[in-house]
Amino acid sequence: MERIAFFPGSFDPFTKGHADIVERGLKVFDQVIIGIGTNPAKKRYFSLELMEKVIKAAFNDDPRIKVVNYNDLTANVAKDFGANFLLRGLRNTTDFEYENTIAQVNRQIVEGLETVFLITSPSLAPISSTIVRELHSYGVDVSDYLPYPLEKLTKE
């Protein structure tokens, strides 16, 4: 049985921290599906289409990585794509508290759907999409935090 992980997030933007989780996830899973979710409570800074494009480019069409966008419950989408695992990165205990609750609910929604947590690499732990968005909005060069060339990241 193929081990497929669904890596969900708003990825606004997708950072080196996210890329690290995907790359490390490929050591555990046969395939990682990066799911760009729509959160109705959040207004995007970078368009969904732009993020999908730059994430695909960051992985050079690696056949083990698929990028999709979705607007549904994560557990249902993971099931629809045949994923039996959710992949999540944890930077700190605050992330764990939040993700632990979601993982438990996801198992209730889709029986057998397991969440696998990877601890963020220490050098990448300070990076968050929120910080990158804020820096970018003030004209700060954020290229050190992105796994793709900064010129691809133009606000639409």
Side-chain angles (χ1 to χ4, degrees):
M1 179 184 200
E2 191 175 31
R3 297 171 64 87
I4 301 171
F6 189 75
F7 181 42
S10 57
F11 305 120
D12 189 20
F14 189 84
T15 69
K16 283 185 178 177
H18 297 128
D20 180 60
I21 296 298
V22 171
E23 290 162 2
R24 291 172 44 222
L26 288 172
K27 294 177 183 176
V28 178
F29 302 106
D30 301 309
Q31 180 181 15
V32 174
I33 301 168
I34 301 168
I36 309 168
T38 300
N39 183 338
K42 293 182 178 178
K43 183 180 182 322
R44 292 195 67 87
Y45 182 79
F46 296 104
S47 75
L48 192 71
E49 297 76 20
L50 176 62
M51 275 305 104
E52 188 172 1
K53 178 181 163 185
V54 297
I55 295 168
K56 284 179 180 178
F59 293 104
N60 298 320
D61 298 319
D62 184 326
R64 301 171 300 160
I65 300 170
K66 183 175 185 173
V67 181
V68 299
N69 62 61
Y70 68 99
N71 187 12
D72 195 355
L73 288 174
T74 296
N76 291 338
V77 176
K79 180 182 177 184
D80 291 346
F81 279 102
N84 35 10
F85 300 93
L86 292 176
L87 176 61
R88 301 298 293 152
L90 299 176
R91 291 171 299 178
N92 52 45
T93 56
T94 302
D95 284 355
F96 174 77
E97 292 295 329
Y98 176 75
E99 294 293 344
N100 181 46
T101 303
I102 293 173
Q104 292 178 29
V105 171
N106 283 332
R107 279 188 72 200
Q108 290 178 333
I109 294 170
V110 175
E111 186 177 335
L113 183 63
E114 295 291 344
T115 300
V116 174
F117 298 116
L118 294 180
I119 304 300
T120 304
S121 297
S123 64
L124 300 172
I127 300 171
S128 74
S129 294
T130 303
I131 291 170
V132 172
R133 280 193 310 271
E134 184 170 354
L135 292 172
H136 186 269
S137 74
Y138 284 101
V140 175
D141 179 4
V142 294
S143 57
D144 286 347
Y145 309 118
L146 306 174
Y148 41 83
L150 181 60
E151 57 270 9
K152 290 189 178 210
L153 193 61
T154 55
K155 189 169 183 258
E156 295 180 352

